Amino acid sequence: MSKQTVRICHLYPDLLNLYGDRGNIICLRQRLAWRGIEAEVIEVPVGTKADLTQCDMIFIGGGQDFEQEVLLPDLRSGKDRELKAAIEDGKTILAICGGYQMLGSYYETWDGVRCDFIHAIDYYTVGSKKRMIGNFAFECLPESGGSKVVGFENHSGKTYLGSGVQPLGKILTGGGNNGEDGGEGVRYHNVFGTYSHGPILPKNSELCDFILQTALSDRMELEPLDDSAERMAHDAMLKKITQGS
Ligand code: GLN
């Protein structure tokens, strides 16, 4: 692989792509291109195989309860073991909503269907009849860069992290993991799990570069970009969400 090509594995692009989650791939590709770095995106739909060890990072979007159930047989045909190994090996993964839930132990829908997931990280999700819906904001913990993130959530699932597992951030406004403990998402090794659609990366360039740099830490140092327009849009949205103006 050339030093200037970054390989991104897009897992289940056919099933997990809610609210423009695919825009995260476009954003990663563009922010790399602005630095003269090429991105090779390897799409891994249901029924196909991929060698996760060959990519720099993995992206998994969100999906409804139905899609999460549909992909279970494929997940169990080997991708579960591959994903677990990649996570323990320190692979950088960004996983959104349904994709985030999938890396935990299970998701029990509000009407009692249980999706047994991959048990890679100690958390579980239970569905509630009352969905958490709307624009929301959170502040990443310092180990995940400390930036303030704006996004959009729409989930029935309430996620509860195990006692040794850290969230990605703390809620500023909105529901996040469960609407109860103030946590949002997960950070485990180099896994960034979040309920934030949006898509999250174009709206939050600081977090995007933090995740990219995590993925590329032993290959290259990313040059800063002129993000003045992105920052203005981000700051205006953050103000609107947190202060209502
Ligand atoms: N189906 C899951 C839930 O409602 C995830 C939804 C999503 O990815 N937005 O909790």
Side-chain angles (χ1 to χ4, degrees):
M1 197 192 317
S2 124
K3 186 173 178 290
Q4 292 301 321
T5 299
V6 169
R7 278 190 165 171
I8 302 167
C9 169
H10 187 178
L11 189 59
Y12 298 137
D14 48 342
L15 286 180
L16 301 182
N17 178 37
L18 276 181
Y19 311 112
D21 282 338
R22 188 184 295 272
N24 291 309
I25 294 283
I26 299 170
C27 180
L28 289 166
R29 193 194 278 285
Q30 187 58 51
R31 292 184 71 79
L32 288 166
W34 280 331
R35 296 168 164 113
I37 304 165
E38 199 187 326
E40 184 188 345
V41 178
I42 302 145
E43 296 209 334
V44 187
V46 165
T48 59
K49 289 208 180 310
D51 183 355
L52 300 182
T53 61
Q54 293 306 304
C55 60
D56 293 289
M57 72 172 282
I58 300 168
F59 172 71
I60 315 171
Q64 321 244 20
D65 298 3
F66 175 72
E67 283 89 23
Q68 288 177 290
E69 284 170 52
V70 167
L71 60 77
L72 284 176
D74 187 73
L75 199 58
R76 293 199 187 113
S77 71
K79 288 201 181 79
D80 49 357
R81 286 189 301 278
E82 266 201 82
L83 271 170
K84 268 172 108 162
I87 290 169
E88 286 310 310
D89 204 34
K91 188 73 71 190
T92 296
I93 300 182
L94 171 62
I96 313 292
C97 200
Y100 157 41
Q101 293 171 353
M102 198 180 85
L103 304 181
S105 301
Y106 64 85
Y107 170 39
E108 193 165 305
T109 65
W110 67 271
D111 55 352
V113 177
R114 188 173 163 120
C115 298
D116 201 16
F117 286 140
I118 73 167
H119 299 261
I121 313 175
D122 181 16
Y123 56 82
Y124 64 92
T125 304
V126 283
S128 154
K129 266 194 169 175
K130 192 172 172 297
R131 300 184 72 83
M132 285 179 258
I133 306 180
N135 291 320
F136 78 131
F138 64 94
E139 181 167 352
C140 291
L141 297 191
E143 51 271 42
S144 293
S147 64
K148 289 184 176 153
V149 173
V150 294
F152 171 76
E153 63 180 336
N154 183 355
H155 52 111
S156 148
K158 293 179 162 192
T159 296
Y160 297 92
L161 304 181
S163 55
V165 181
Q166 290 294 315
L168 178 60
K170 288 200 164 86
I171 281 292
L172 297 170
T173 178
N177 277 343
N178 49 50
E180 294 159 18
D181 62 20
E184 154 56 16
V186 74
R187 174 70 194 275
Y188 175 80
H189 296 332
N190 289 331
V191 175
F192 298 79
T194 176
Y195 271 109
S196 182
H197 299 283
I200 185 173
L201 296 183
K203 282 186 171 177
N204 300 281
S205 49
E206 208 178 324
L207 178 66
C208 181
D209 279 2
F210 187 87
I211 294 173
L212 263 181
Q213 188 58 69
T214 303
L216 301 175
S217 58
D218 47 3
R219 290 185 59 199
M220 58 182 93
E221 192 73 36
L222 292 173
E223 304 277 329
L225 296 173
D226 174 8
D227 278 336
S228 39
E230 287 84 349
R231 280 216 191 102
M232 269 168 61
H234 170 276
D235 293 353
M237 197 58 195
L238 184 65
K239 193 163 170 234
K240 194 174 154 92
I241 297 173
T242 56
Q243 298 169 22
S245 61

